[in-house]
Amino acid sequence: MSSTTVELTKDNFDQTMTEHDFVLIDFWATWCGPCRQFAPVYEKAAEANPDLVFGKVDTEAQPELAAAFGIQSIPTLMIVRDQVAVFAQPGALPAEALEDVIGQARKLDMDEVRKSVAEQQAQAGGSDQ
């Protein structure tokens, strides 16, 4: 773990999500080859975007967090803005793709995202009846 990334655990996860409006999360494990290949790419992106929080969740040490997010394969990258997951994708992204995803997430209109999420939840709730 470098000074540009934060180790996320069940003890600091909620606080990190509450205190920061833009958090990237790398779900990984030490035994995972693609995770180790992705780590320097993630590190460089963290250095290039000092205004964002780059967190890492070791799925072996934090199985509850991995389970809570339904992580089935690693590495998985997730982006959370204003406590809403706006991106989640398994696989090690190349540097250009990671920068592109970060750029797209920065441009999101979070009022529209929240409105869309609320509509989806309302539809899901209505279909249960």
Side-chain angles (χ1 to χ4, degrees):
M1 214 71 43
S2 83
S3 59
T4 52
T5 58
V6 178
E7 182 177 1
L8 295 174
T9 67
K10 62 183 180 195
D11 298 326
N12 70 357
F13 190 87
D14 288 341
Q15 181 179 355
T16 301
M17 292 301 127
T18 304
E19 291 179 356
H20 303 282
D21 59 356
F22 198 123
V23 181
L24 291 93
I25 307 166
D26 174 20
F27 290 90
W28 69 288
T30 54
W31 52 262
C32 166
C35 297
R36 289 195 305 273
Q37 291 174 330
F38 181 59
V41 172
Y42 192 69
E43 216 44 68
K44 281 195 175 106
E47 291 168 8
N49 296 277
D51 58 319
L52 307 180
V53 174
F54 283 71
K56 292 180 76 76
V57 173
D58 180 343
T59 57
E60 294 289 300
Q62 302 297 321
E64 304 91 345
L65 285 177
F69 287 97
I71 302 303
Q72 307 231 336
S73 61
I74 53 174
T76 289
L77 176 70
M78 184 175 290
I79 299 177
V80 178
R81 280 201 53 199
D82 299 342
Q83 301 181 29
V84 176
V86 296
F87 178 85
Q89 178 178 312
L93 294 174
E96 305 80 38
L98 179 55
E99 283 302 324
D100 183 51
V101 166
I102 292 170
Q104 289 181 46
R106 283 185 186 275
K107 292 177 190 166
L108 287 174
D109 178 338
M110 289 310 293
D111 289 333
E112 285 297 316
V113 170
R114 279 188 287 278
K115 182 178 164 193
S116 174
V117 168
E119 288 171 358
Q120 288 174 3
Q121 288 174 338
Q123 287 175 351
S127 67
D128 289 344
Q129 296 172 2

